[in-house]
Amino acid sequence: MTFDTSTIFSVFFYAFAGLLVISALRVITARNPVHAALFLVLAFFCASGLWMLLKAEFLSLALILVYVGAVMVLFLFVVMMLDLDLEHLRRDFKKYLPVAFLMGAVIVLELSIVLIRSFIGTSSPVQPMLEESTMSNTKALGMLIFVDYVYAFEVAGVILLVAIIAAVALTLRNRKDAKAQNVAEQINVRAADRMRIVKMDTDMAAKQDARGEKK
């Protein structure tokens, strides 16, 4: 019994796709946050396998090295180190279900519109690559990001930077032990407020030194 290349490709594709869907569902249904993070790692591995099958080697390896190797390890450390109040999270879960269903419906509608307009009824890729092109997919991806869509790439970087700063600011805003600098007070400081000169007699200083030596 022989198998051709297309059959093997289909078997691996459906295997990775099925595991990806199952692990993604377990990410949002697992009760333990550590288990949810581990299922997310499995989902990243499955997505990486799908990209490898689609001959996008750079994206596949970048997903494993960056997300699985760095980001998810950080997530696991944070989740395991934080003392999460799981009972409080589970108690307020049902309160946000209507908003969650509404946002889910909007996302499904957007994805459906994209799929219908882009793939259904078409027999060729949206942006076909030239057959005479000998560049690798990594170089082609770099040309698209840093040449054709460089402004969108820069805008995405600025948005991520603003999100990081906002997350740090919101985290430190309500903490009592957080310390921050007041630049105006540092600039307007006077020497008299920081330093005081005390004059002492020589006899009093000698007595204090003698008392310190006896102790």
Side-chain angles (χ1 to χ4, degrees):
M1 185 176 181
T2 59
F3 296 96
D4 56 353
T5 307
S6 60
T7 303
I8 298 175
F9 178 87
S10 300
V11 170
F12 278 101
F13 177 83
Y14 286 112
F16 282 127
L19 284 176
L20 178 59
V21 173
I22 294 172
S23 57
L25 291 175
R26 289 298 297 159
V27 170
I28 61 176
T29 57
R31 294 181 178 273
N32 194 332
V34 178
H35 295 169
L38 292 176
F39 278 113
L40 186 57
V41 171
L42 179 60
F44 284 151
F45 271 111
C46 295
S48 176
L50 290 175
W51 281 346
M52 188 67 72
L53 292 176
L54 296 175
K55 297 181 180 181
E57 296 87 0
F58 176 77
L59 293 177
S60 176
L61 295 177
L63 181 63
I64 293 178
L65 294 177
V66 176
Y67 284 93
V68 178
V71 176
M72 285 311 305
V73 173
L74 179 61
F75 280 1
L76 284 174
F77 273 107
V78 171
V79 168
M80 289 187 292
M81 290 175 61
L82 291 178
D83 187 12
L84 298 177
D85 189 3
L86 298 180
E87 295 298 331
H88 177 71
L89 296 176
R90 293 170 185 171
R91 185 175 62 252
D92 296 338
F93 178 75
K94 296 181 180 180
K95 183 171 63 176
Y96 299 103
L97 277 180
V99 180
F101 281 123
L102 178 61
M103 296 300 297
V106 171
I107 293 174
V108 171
L109 180 61
E110 291 178 352
L111 292 177
S112 302
I113 293 174
V114 171
L115 291 175
I116 291 172
R117 295 187 60 183
S118 301
F119 296 99
I120 295 179
T122 59
S123 58
S124 61
V126 179
Q127 293 182 350
M129 298 292 294
L130 297 177
E131 296 182 358
E132 296 80 5
S133 178
T134 58
M135 68 174 64
S136 62
N137 55 7
T138 304
K139 185 176 180 180
L141 180 63
M143 292 291 293
L144 286 174
I145 293 178
F146 299 110
V147 177
D148 297 339
Y149 300 101
V150 61
Y151 294 112
F153 182 75
E154 294 294 335
V155 169
V158 173
I159 293 175
L160 290 176
L161 178 61
V162 172
I164 293 173
I165 296 174
V168 174
L170 292 175
T171 304
L172 298 177
R173 183 178 59 180
N174 296 325
R175 292 183 56 179
K176 296 180 180 180
D177 57 344
K179 297 181 180 180
Q181 293 181 342
N182 193 334
V183 181
E185 292 183 358
Q186 293 177 348
I187 294 176
N188 298 325
V189 68
R190 295 180 302 174
D193 299 333
R194 296 295 182 90
M195 182 176 60
R196 185 179 62 177
I197 300 176
V198 180
K199 294 183 179 180
M200 299 179 62
D201 297 334
T202 55
D203 295 338
M204 186 179 297
K207 289 179 181 178
Q208 289 182 357
D209 293 338
R211 291 176 182 174
E213 292 177 358
K214 289 179 180 180
K215 292 181 180 180

